[in-house]
Amino acid sequence: MPLYHDEDQAMLAETASQFMAEEGSIQKQLRHWRDRDCKDGFGHGLWEQMAELGFTGILIDEDNGGLGMGHVEAGIVLEEIGRNLTPSPFLTTSVLAATALGNGSDDIKGRYLPGIVEGKAVYAVAIDEGAKHNPSRIKTRAEKSGNGFKLSGQKDFVIHGASADMLVVAARTSGADDDEDGITLFAVPKDAAGMSHDAVRLVDSSMATHTKFDGVELDGDAVIGEVDGGREILNKVLNAGRIGAAAEGVGVARGAMDMTVDYIKQRKQFGKLIGEFQALQHRASHLYSEVEIARAVVIKAQQLLDGDSEKAELMISAAKAKVAKAAGLAVREGVQMHGGIGMTDEYDIGLYMKRDRALQEFLGDVYYHANRVATLSGY
Amino acid sequence: MSDLDTFRMETREWLEANCPAEMREPVRDEDDVYWGGRNATFKNDAQKAWFEAAVEKGYTVPAWPKEYGGAGLSPAEAKVLREEMARIGARPPLSSFGIWMLGPALLHFGTEGQKKRFLNEIARGEIRWCQGYSEPGSGSDLVSLQTFGEDKGDHWVVNGQKIWTSYADKADWIFCLVRTDKENKYQGITFMLYDMASEGVSTKPILLISGSSPFCETFFDDVKVPKSYGEDVPAYVGEVNRGWDVAKYLLGHEREMISGADGGNTGTIGAAMSRSADEIDPVLRAELAMFDVDALAYGAMGEKFLDEIKVGKAHPAQPNMMKYAGTELNKRRHELMMSAGGSRNLEWESDETSGGKPSRNWLRTKANSIEGGTSEVMLNVISKRILDLPGA
Ligand SMILES: Cc1cc2nc3c(=O)[nH]c(=O)nc-3n(C[C@H](O)[C@H](O)[C@H](O)COP(=O)(O)OP(=O)(O)OC[C@H]3O[C@@H](n4cnc5c(N)ncnc54)[C@H](O)[C@@H]3O)c2cc1C
Ligand SMILES: Cc1cc2nc3c(=O)[nH]c(=O)nc-3n(C[C@H](O)[C@H](O)[C@H](O)COP(=O)(O)OP(=O)(O)OC[C@H]3O[C@@H](n4cnc5c(N)ncnc54)[C@H](O)[C@@H]3O)c2cc1C
């Protein structure tokens, strides 16, 4: 498959790009909700509009009312979300949760997928325990209790945890903390007794929670997939989420880069446009190269994942790490080349820096994924 | 089965039958590379057999039309052939500046007569070419070149000096930029083709820091260059005084080649380096992993670039980006390989290192970001043509 968008994908990109620039813009969404100290960190209206366009169900199969598309298409929407810093539950709900639920029983699918397709529901995914991503260690426990389970433990960095209608929780049903096996995924409804959220606003003004499970009682039908067999689904969720976050990161990088290049074409100092100084030109051109290369590895990984290739995991980690490098560079150079006003809240460039920081940490930072590239390559 | 699948099966069979086992080993030495030319000799029978089979099939230049010595493969078929050759680690049957640089320029700007003659010669490896662009005073600022061809009616008399002419001492012919109009900077250069055996041409080798000297200073002392080599075979490409257009077009291809976008510079090293190192320092392992991330990403970029070039989706200045990123990456690769090898890789003349290969290669790669246009010049071009920055 050639590494560019085919005609249908290009059309989707066109639609997504227009929609996000108009409806998902920084002014209309990020700043709007932030300045109102919105407890969700995003607007539900936009979520419904995205559903009308079919975006929310992009990864959900047609039998369940979705578009049945792949990660290339989800990535197209995510890149535009990144470009406009649009706060939305797309990544958590339409990518992570949808992937988990799609691997569940018909009952699970019937219960939860329509909410995503209609843009009514918001779901969170609770994986990490601690400040750094480490899904190979899962301490949160679900013990058999009657027909169901009793869930205890704590999850951190749960994006949209407090506003979610349901949380997909990865818990241990057997074995030791670091075991590969013994993981089960549960769908935990919003109002489950014994679940409490400590909600915190993050640097990018999104909301996350430290969520505690204090003997939360769950019915057997809360299980997604097989008891003790959750690792495989969890890996699918991670693959989808990581390449999704990478696609959004490319959008963030491009947004920051475009804004910066535009700026240095307009700002005058020393009687010249600062874009005329070679010291800035070379850095801008280097940045452009890095962002282009990051885009290439992202689409490569998306295609491999859609094609169920064995090489997908390696390329996903390469993509997540490469995007972290490129987007990090884009936002740092962005603020620097804006000079003093880059430090002001009034200018948008700093918002890119904040979003990039949060995305970098989500599902594994550059070091985590570079290490994974090494491990998967056998060294 | 699609036509392409059928083609893949046939290609696989053909390679199986025609590419000898010795030609499926990585290139280790200069004489593992076959450059062709009047005085060429083969290293062994396998090299000869592989070369001759490829010529016969048109696979020295697979994408060129059949009438010019190619196999007339479509871009998709050419990609299949590349993949199948890579699968078995087949060496290129012929390496040549004619294939990489002059050929594409002739395909684009040449007359029918020039194509018939020169492209076929290139495809069959009969004539070895060198590139006469740079001069002592004109490197990055190539258009300031001074080598002058005085118009004498049916011929020019060329005087001047070139520098850095790779393999000038081994080449049969030169494609050379010669000023033919002193008043016009850009529109006063002619792209000439002539025989290095012509009277008045002499070369002097330049020793590199890697200890080798495939590079030369090339001197032209009243060299007589005819304007034509027969009907429809002018001695210049494009038009007289409009050689700059040809030169730039060719540089695009040269940069593409040096970038290694087609697989040359891509590929990870971490696994191989950690296996061969006595002991791998965790910080070095981390650097290797970071490098591999970049190498995997650049590999994807190379693939995307070639896919996009085929359908005209790539920005015309994209080869500059590929050249910049690919050569900087390749330098970093060799720095890390030197570190992983430790003191062993410092050996300049040992059997263990096949005569100092690691350090010589490391030193050679330093030229990647200079030859064919420096990294700084690439960044200038990106600024100007892609980012559209003011005054760039
Ligand atoms: C937090 C903060 C506190 C400050 N406090 C004070 C204060 O108390 N009093 C005060 O007077 N000022 C203060 N300043 C202002 C500060 O001195 C200026 O921001 C600084 O001099 C840069 O000027 P500028 O913001 O106009 O950026 P610009 O001059 O517009 O520069 C924009 C970008 O272009 C680059 N650039 C500009 N010219 C060139 C060139 N010739 N070659 C290459 N690159 C170039 C710059 O390096 C920068 O990256 C403060 C700024 C900040 C951010
Ligand atoms: C191994 C090797 C093989 C070569 N093979 C050939 C060949 O076969 N045929 C041939 O014709 N030539 C060949 N060359 C020559 C090559 O193309 C030139 O060396 C190259 O174009 C740089 O020119 P220069 O060496 O004169 O450096 P200069 O142009 O003098 O540059 C010196 C430094 O200044 C920087 N610089 C120059 N101009 C600018 C600018 N405007 N902005 C910012 N920085 C700038 C450069 O980037 C460089 O870092 C070869 C060179 C090498 C090293």
Side-chain angles (χ1 to χ4, degrees):
Chain A
M1 213 181 306
L3 283 179
Y4 48 78
H5 292 148
D6 66 24
E7 244 167 73
D8 290 342
Q9 291 163 343
M11 242 159 65
L12 174 66
E14 177 80 29
T15 310
S17 160
Q18 241 176 38
F19 173 77
M20 288 301 163
E22 279 165 23
E23 301 303 324
S25 71
I26 296 180
Q27 206 53 38
K28 271 195 183 161
Q29 300 293 331
L30 180 60
R31 283 189 184 278
H32 179 86
W33 300 113
R34 184 195 72 163
D35 294 347
R36 277 158 194 73
D37 204 15
C38 164
K39 67 169 179 43
D40 286 335
F42 66 88
H44 291 270
L46 187 82
W47 188 227
E48 283 180 33
Q49 280 178 283
M50 285 170 72
E52 280 160 27
L53 289 169
F55 291 168
T56 56
I58 220 160
L59 285 175
I60 294 171
D61 57 24
E62 284 162 301
D63 291 348
N64 286 293
L67 294 181
M69 291 177 167
H71 296 278
V72 174
E73 286 84 0
I76 286 170
V77 175
L78 280 160
E79 188 170 332
E80 296 307 325
I81 286 177
R83 239 183 337 184
N84 296 284
L85 303 181
T86 313
S88 111
F90 187 86
L91 185 53
T92 51
T93 305
S94 296
V95 178
L96 288 147
T99 302
L101 296 165
N103 284 280
S105 63
D106 287 345
D107 174 51
I108 285 274
K109 288 183 195 167
R111 218 180 313 159
Y112 293 112
L113 289 179
I116 304 183
V117 174
E118 291 157 17
K120 299 281 188 220
V122 171
Y123 303 137
V125 177
I127 299 167
D128 284 330
E129 304 171 0
K132 292 305 272 189
H133 179 62
N134 181 13
S136 61
R137 163 171 299 175
I138 289 180
K139 291 202 270 193
T140 295
R141 288 199 171 258
E143 312 214 313
K144 275 238 159 64
S145 147
N147 280 340
F149 297 85
K150 236 185 184 161
L151 187 64
S152 304
Q154 177 172 323
K155 293 287 182 177
D156 300 297
F157 200 27
V158 184
I159 309 292
H160 307 312
S163 3
D165 301 287
M166 180 274 286
L167 276 76
V168 173
V169 180
R172 179 160 297 290
T173 34
S174 66
D177 293 351
D178 291 317
D179 281 359
E180 181 75 5
D181 297 333
I183 302 297
T184 306
L185 297 188
F186 294 94
V188 183
K190 182 192 189 82
D191 47 14
M195 177 167 67
S196 62
H197 305 291
D198 181 4
V200 283
R201 193 171 293 283
L202 303 184
V203 63
D204 63 342
S205 83
S206 69
M207 296 298 292
T209 59
H210 302 281
T211 295
K212 262 209 188 85
F213 306 94
D214 194 1
V216 175
E217 292 194 19
L218 296 169
D219 288 342
D221 65 4
V223 172
I224 303 173
E226 303 286 321
V227 174
D228 280 353
R231 182 67 75 177
E232 202 186 326
I233 306 177
L234 178 58
N235 286 342
K236 287 184 188 171
V237 172
L238 290 172
N239 282 338
R242 287 163 175 172
I243 197 56
E248 186 174 340
V250 164
V252 171
R254 293 185 77 196
M257 175 174 79
D258 291 347
M259 184 167 280
T260 305
V261 171
D262 279 351
Y263 183 74
I264 66 175
K265 287 178 185 172
Q266 289 161 26
R267 170 75 170 169
K268 269 194 169 168
Q269 290 287 279
F270 303 99
K272 279 185 174 180
L273 294 167
I274 56 174
E276 289 179 61
F277 297 120
Q278 197 178 53
L280 299 193
Q281 288 179 350
H282 280 192
R283 279 156 49 192
S285 297
H286 170 70
L287 171 58
Y288 163 82
S289 307
E290 290 297 290
V291 173
E292 279 298 291
I293 293 169
R295 287 182 80 196
V297 66
V298 166
I299 187 170
K300 178 79 195 175
Q302 288 165 339
Q303 286 186 1
L304 290 173
L305 186 57
D306 283 335
D308 250 338
S309 161
E310 281 169 16
K311 289 190 222 144
E313 291 219 3
L314 175 70
M315 208 54 85
I316 289 168
S317 275
K320 182 79 168 68
K322 183 69 194 183
V323 169
K325 292 173 91 173
L329 185 70
V331 299
R332 287 192 303 273
E333 288 288 40
V335 170
Q336 179 63 24
M337 291 195 201
H338 273 76
I341 61 159
M343 291 297 295
T344 62
D345 183 68
E346 190 188 335
Y347 271 73
D348 290 339
I349 190 69
L351 299 173
Y352 282 91
M353 180 164 274
K354 295 176 181 180
R355 180 62 187 149
D356 171 57
R357 189 64 253 162
L359 264 182
Q360 294 228 13
E361 216 49 56
F362 189 59
L363 301 180
D365 64 7
V366 57
Y367 308 110
Y368 177 89
H369 285 290
N371 183 46
R372 213 171 125 76
V373 163
T375 309
L376 290 172
S377 312
Y379 68 100
Chain B
M1 207 157 51
S2 77
D3 289 352
L4 219 50
D5 291 334
T6 311
F7 178 75
R8 189 181 293 277
M9 293 307 297
E10 286 168 7
T11 303
R12 209 169 272 192
E13 278 167 28
W14 184 86
L15 285 170
E16 210 39 63
N18 290 285
C19 184
E22 296 99 306
M23 294 296 108
R24 303 181 191 190
E25 296 283 313
V27 171
R28 272 181 229 90
D29 270 301
E30 179 58 22
D31 58 339
D32 285 345
V33 182
Y34 183 67
W35 289 93
R38 281 178 201 145
N39 306 315
T41 50
F42 292 101
K43 183 188 179 178
N44 53 36
D45 292 345
Q47 195 180 54
K48 181 164 188 271
W50 175 220
F51 169 74
E52 283 170 356
V55 169
E56 165 89 32
K57 188 85 178 163
Y59 279 1
T60 53
V61 285
W64 291 6
K66 284 189 171 150
E67 66 262 43
Y68 307 140
L73 298 191
S74 70
E77 288 168 338
K79 188 173 180 181
V80 168
L81 175 62
R82 260 201 316 275
E83 286 167 359
E84 288 304 314
M85 284 181 61
R87 200 177 60 85
I88 60 167
R91 288 178 188 166
L94 175 66
S95 295
S96 115
F97 292 172
I99 294 175
W100 300 324
M101 302 185 207
L102 180 60
L106 282 173
L107 279 166
H108 194 82
F109 294 97
T111 64
E112 192 52 38
Q114 284 177 322
K115 292 183 193 172
K116 282 238 159 66
R117 169 167 169 186
F118 294 122
L119 292 178
N120 273 296
E121 284 177 358
I122 291 169
R124 292 196 303 264
E126 288 166 357
I127 299 292
R128 185 167 177 178
W129 290 86
C130 67
Q131 177 190 35
Y133 272 31
S134 305
E135 298 183 8
S138 307
S140 298
D141 184 15
L142 189 56
V143 80
S144 68
L145 63 91
Q146 300 291 323
T147 292
F148 186 64
E150 196 184 346
D151 195 333
K152 298 277 190 183
D154 68 341
H155 68 277
W156 287 286
V157 171
V158 176
N159 277 288
Q161 183 193 341
K162 295 286 172 183
I163 193 171
W164 293 117
T165 335
S166 310
Y167 302 109
D169 50 347
K170 298 207 175 77
D172 306 308
W173 278 55
I174 188 167
F175 48 94
C176 193
L177 295 182
V178 179
R179 182 158 297 289
T180 37
D181 179 349
K182 288 185 177 170
E183 306 303 312
N184 248 313
K185 201 173 173 195
Y186 286 91
Q187 300 194 2
I189 293 171
T190 301
F191 190 105
M192 295 185 190
L193 313 172
Y194 53 93
D195 198 320
M196 289 293 279
S198 308
E199 199 173 325
V201 178
S202 60
T203 63
K204 197 172 127 204
I206 305 171
L207 191 63
L208 292 197
I209 51 178
S210 61
S212 73
S213 88
F215 308 97
C216 295
E217 291 182 273
T218 305
F219 303 91
F220 308 124
D221 193 6
D222 284 336
V223 179
K224 189 174 163 189
V225 177
K227 288 194 178 164
S228 163
Y229 297 114
E231 199 184 331
D232 199 31
V233 190
Y236 50 91
V237 182
E239 290 170 44
V240 171
N241 286 332
R242 300 304 298 265
W244 186 241
D245 299 336
V246 184
K248 274 193 305 187
Y249 182 86
L250 183 149
L251 275 174
H253 282 270
E254 179 178 4
R255 284 166 190 173
E256 218 175 297
M257 189 268 295
I258 299 175
S259 76
D262 58 355
N265 293 348
T266 60
T268 56
I269 51 171
M273 288 301 108
S274 1
R275 258 198 311 278
S276 64
D278 289 346
E279 203 177 291
I280 194 93
D281 184 286
V283 179
L284 176 57
R285 176 185 179 275
E287 292 274 346
L288 288 168
M290 290 296 232
F291 174 85
D292 280 358
V293 165
D294 287 327
L296 286 166
Y298 184 76
M301 183 70 228
E303 202 182 315
K304 179 163 180 270
F305 172 65
L306 294 178
D307 287 343
E308 289 186 339
I309 281 246
K310 262 180 252 157
V311 292
K313 273 179 190 278
H315 189 288
Q318 196 77 338
N320 297 280
M321 188 281 256
M322 295 302 296
K323 202 262 173 188
Y324 166 66
T327 57
E328 295 297 335
L329 189 69
N330 202 40
K331 287 194 297 180
R332 207 168 117 214
R333 168 195 314 278
H334 283 267
E335 287 293 342
L336 286 168
M337 282 163 52
M338 285 301 284
S339 294
S343 56
R344 164 65 27 95
N345 280 2
L346 300 175
E347 292 177 8
W348 186 249
E349 282 172 345
S350 70
D351 289 343
E352 199 76 31
T353 61
S354 315
K357 275 279 148 201
S359 49
R360 289 170 198 274
N361 288 341
W362 161 68
L363 287 161
R364 175 63 182 85
T365 59
K366 297 301 167 198
N368 294 165
S369 52
I370 299 171
E371 59 198 318
T374 66
S375 282
E376 290 75 18
V377 168
M378 296 306 112
L379 293 170
N380 287 348
V381 176
I382 296 169
S383 298
K384 179 178 176 172
R385 297 191 47 207
I386 299 182
L387 299 181
D388 197 23
L389 287 170

